[in-house]
């Protein structure tokens, strides 16, 4: 039906789903719309029949958090596996562990340094640009970890990711480059980590399994030929908007810049191709930044996976134009200033709450999006519903 609900949520990503769930739990009716054909936003995944892999359609998603409120909240809708994320990188014909740690350093220098010796070596090499104030990412990287490690593991990867020479990138992009002076290669250092036991999409379906919530997929908020559109709704019913903030205002002040990623799928007649879930490629001669082997995210499912086939996605990064999926905010100083102007306009919209990574032009991990949605519900949405 198209009866007016208490709340309309634009975007069925984790921000929108969390707000909808909170509203329904407090007795309100909700209509969620999404322009895509599925819920879940960028955390959506599907099962690949041939291999038994759970494919994360918009790139590898690993859940991790140290926020107790978020951890308790997500555990209402799913349990998590014991998966612990580890990443490796290929450089000059060898595979090294990441983040850069004592294992990486000793392999790279063919050495057996103690933590203290390695720390002194890195400090010495970083001393090359001591006392200077680097303005570009290249010099900043050298100043942080020294030229040899920077040039091997950071320089070309970063250039591929931004499609820009590091000498042309602002130093502000990297405030720190973590180097661990022990052999710990756990990628995340959060208290809790894991993957949803029966997959991302089942988790998110359960968040909105409430008769007070209705979902319209394939529905664009800016398409006036369908009932749940901007001009029909804004000012008449509270709206939570999680699409791009510049799009909402018809790009009136200009466009915010994003990077997008593209994936090339490869299928192999092998049980395991990479031997790990994520392999980065540090060198310039491999055109993609990293490869993802989805089966390896869920080793506990091996009994249900095809032992003779696997699927790998190579990830390519490039600047996004209007038709592309916006993935990472570019976030130059100019972008941040432009966003502040849009944020001021957003304040003046009647009964509209802007949220999520697109609505607030911010790179958020899933746990941060859920946390900000729980707060936005309490502080901004609930008052509009009472
Ligand atoms: P989204 O998930 O983008 O949802 C917004 C929704 O709004 C979309 O479904 C979109 O279709 C819809 N929409 C937009 N415009 C309209 C419109 N006009 N009408 C209707 N609907 C509209 N986080 C982690 O915690 N761990 C990770 O390992 C991780 N890896 C990532 C890897 C990649 C490549 C990317 C891009 C992100 C990753 N993230 C990760 C971040 C994670 O994806 C986000 O934190 C989360 O999905 C954001 O949720 P959201 O609701 O803010 O936005
Ligand atoms: N990075 C790098 N080499 C690597 C991995 C990361 O140089 O092998 C740098 C790169 O500049 C990148 C940043 O670290 O932009 C963050 O990378 P990470 O993989 O943590 O983030 P993601 O790309 O998944 O958001």
């Amino acid at each position: 039906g198209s009866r007016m609900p208490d709340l309309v949520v634009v975007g069925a990503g984790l921000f929108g789903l969390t707000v909808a769930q909170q509203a329904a739990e407090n007795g309100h009716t909700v209509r969620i719309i999404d322009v895509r054909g599925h819920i879940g936003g960028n955390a959506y995944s599907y099962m690949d029949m041939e291999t038994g892999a759970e494919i994360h359609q918009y790139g590898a998603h690993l859940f991790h958090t140290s926020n107790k409120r978020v951890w308790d909240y997500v555990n209402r809708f799913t349990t998590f596996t014991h998966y612990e994320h580890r990443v490796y990188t290929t450089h000059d014909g060898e595979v090294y562990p990441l983040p850069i740690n004592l294992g990486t350093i000793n392999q790279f220098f063919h050495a057996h340094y103690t933590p203290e010796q390695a720390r002194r070596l890195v400090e010495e090499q970083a001393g090359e640009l001591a006392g200077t104030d680097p303005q570009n990412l290249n010099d900043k990287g050298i100043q942080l970890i020294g030229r040899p490690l920077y040039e091997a593991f950071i320089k070309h990867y970063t250039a591929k990711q931004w499609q820009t020479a590091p000498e042309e990138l602002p130093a502000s992009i990297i405030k720190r480059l973590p180097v661990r002076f022990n052999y710990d290669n756990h990628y995340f250092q959060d208290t809790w980590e894991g993957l949803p036991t029966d997959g991302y999409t089942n988790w998110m379906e359960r968040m909105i399994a409430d008769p007070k919530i209705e979902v319209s997929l394939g529905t664009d908020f800016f398409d006036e030929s369908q009932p749940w559109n901007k001009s029909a709704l804004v000012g008449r019913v509270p709206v939570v908007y999680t699409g791009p903030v510049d799009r909402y205002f018809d790009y009136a002040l200009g466009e915010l810049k994003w990077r997008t990623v593209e994936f090339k799928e490869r299928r192999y007649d092998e049980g395991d191709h990479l031997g790990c879930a994520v392999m980065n490629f540090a060198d310039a001669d491999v055109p993609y930044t990293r490869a993802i082997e989805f089966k390896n995210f869920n080793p506990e499912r091996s009994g249900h996976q095809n032992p003779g086939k696997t699927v790998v996605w190579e990830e390519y990064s490039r600047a996004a134009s209007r038709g592309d999926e916006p993935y990472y905010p570019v976030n130059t100083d100019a972008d941040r200033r432009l966003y502040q102007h849009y944020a001021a306009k957003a304040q003046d919209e009647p009964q509209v709450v802007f949220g999520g990574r697109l609505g607030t032009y911010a790179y958020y991990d899933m746990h941060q999006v859920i946390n900000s949605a729980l707060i936005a519900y309490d502080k901004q949405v609930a008052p509009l519903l009472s």
Side-chain angles (χ1 to χ4, degrees):
S2 54
R3 216 176 56 84
M4 201 59 101
D6 298 335
L7 175 68
V8 173
V9 172
V10 181
L14 278 167
F15 191 96
L17 297 178
T18 302
V19 168
Q21 187 281 331
Q22 292 284 290
E25 186 161 274
N26 286 286
H28 304 289
T29 56
V30 185
R31 167 73 54 171
I32 305 175
I33 70 165
D34 201 296
V35 66
R36 292 174 174 170
H38 59 73
I39 67 153
N42 282 0
Y44 168 78
S45 71
Y46 61 90
M47 290 303 297
D48 176 62
M49 289 308 153
E50 186 189 40
T51 60
E54 177 182 341
I55 294 186
H56 305 177
Q57 176 160 333
Y58 302 93
H61 276 68
L62 296 313
F63 189 82
H64 55 98
T65 187
S66 297
N67 182 321
K68 177 84 165 60
R69 184 185 187 196
V70 169
W71 182 243
D72 289 343
Y73 179 71
V74 297
N75 273 274
R76 292 176 53 191
F77 310 104
T78 183
T79 54
F80 287 84
T81 68
H82 298 297
Y83 178 79
E84 286 179 355
H85 196 41
R86 287 190 169 78
V87 177
Y88 296 84
T89 187
T90 300
H91 163 63
D92 201 13
E94 277 185 64
V95 175
Y96 295 83
L98 287 181
I100 298 174
N101 64 71
L102 194 51
T104 323
I105 294 169
N106 275 332
Q107 184 181 345
F108 184 74
F109 293 108
H110 306 290
H112 53 113
Y113 296 127
T114 64
E116 195 42 45
Q117 290 169 330
R119 201 186 293 272
R120 276 207 301 273
L121 175 78
V122 169
E123 258 169 38
E124 200 179 292
Q125 296 185 334
E128 180 182 341
L129 292 178
T132 66
D133 182 17
Q135 298 301 309
N136 71 67
L137 190 149
N138 196 66
D139 293 352
K140 183 81 184 174
I142 294 169
Q143 195 186 57
L144 286 170
I145 63 170
R147 188 183 292 274
L149 291 170
Y150 167 76
E151 289 188 344
F153 299 110
I154 308 295
K155 182 176 181 147
H156 304 290
Y157 186 95
T158 304
K160 287 192 280 187
Q161 196 164 47
W162 292 91
Q163 296 292 296
T164 305
E167 291 85 351
E168 313 287 314
L169 288 167
S172 58
I173 294 182
I174 40 164
K175 295 205 170 48
R176 68 189 194 99
L177 276 172
V179 176
R180 293 186 195 155
F181 294 100
N182 60 30
Y183 292 96
D184 179 10
N185 75 325
H186 284 87
Y187 208 73
F188 302 121
Q189 303 207 293
D190 275 323
T191 312
W192 298 286
E193 167 177 9
L195 292 166
T197 306
D198 63 353
Y200 278 98
T201 304
N202 285 322
W203 158 21
M204 295 187 286
E205 291 283 0
R206 283 190 290 269
M207 290 178 72
I208 53 166
D210 184 310
K212 289 190 289 304
I213 301 178
E214 290 187 273
V215 183
S216 305
L217 297 174
T219 302
D220 184 346
F221 188 54
F222 302 104
D223 173 3
E224 304 213 341
S225 72
Q226 59 81 25
W228 308 105
N229 73 73
K230 183 182 172 195
S231 13
L233 297 173
V234 171
R236 295 186 54 210
V237 60
V239 172
V240 170
Y241 175 80
T242 72
V245 60
D246 52 356
R247 170 69 186 94
Y248 182 96
F249 294 105
D250 216 6
Y251 307 106
L253 307 175
E255 277 180 59
L256 292 165
K257 288 200 292 301
W258 294 83
R259 281 190 306 117
T260 193
V261 289
E262 262 169 30
F263 301 98
K264 191 174 280 175
E265 181 171 296
R266 308 249 179 227
R267 286 179 183 266
Y268 297 95
D269 295 325
E270 296 173 79
D272 190 357
H273 184 68
L274 296 172
C276 61
V278 175
M279 177 68 74
N280 289 3
F281 290 88
D283 298 337
D285 59 340
V286 176
Y288 44 94
T289 50
R290 55 188 172 189
I292 308 164
E293 186 163 8
F294 292 101
K295 271 170 90 179
N296 290 335
F297 283 131
N298 298 101
E300 78 289 350
R301 295 182 194 153
S302 61
H304 308 278
Q305 294 171 339
N306 186 335
K309 299 226 182 253
T310 193
V311 56
V312 172
W313 279 22
E314 297 163 356
E315 184 171 325
Y316 298 77
S317 179
R318 62 171 173 79
S321 45
R322 243 185 230 186
D324 295 320
E325 291 291 350
Y327 274 23
Y328 296 100
V330 173
N331 246 333
T332 59
D333 292 340
D335 286 318
R336 275 196 293 273
R337 276 194 301 276
L338 180 55
Y339 171 66
Q340 288 312 323
H341 291 298
Y342 276 120
K345 279 172 84 75
Q347 290 281 329
D348 294 337
E349 279 297 288
Q351 298 183 72
V352 182
V353 173
F354 290 73
R357 45 179 215 101
L358 302 167
T360 58
Y361 192 65
Y363 183 83
Y364 280 132
D365 276 327
M366 293 180 280
H367 63 285
Q368 296 167 318
V369 157
I370 293 166
N371 186 50
S372 71
L374 291 170
I375 293 169
Y377 181 79
D378 291 344
K379 297 246 163 76
Q380 297 173 267
V381 183
L384 295 175
L385 297 175
S386 58

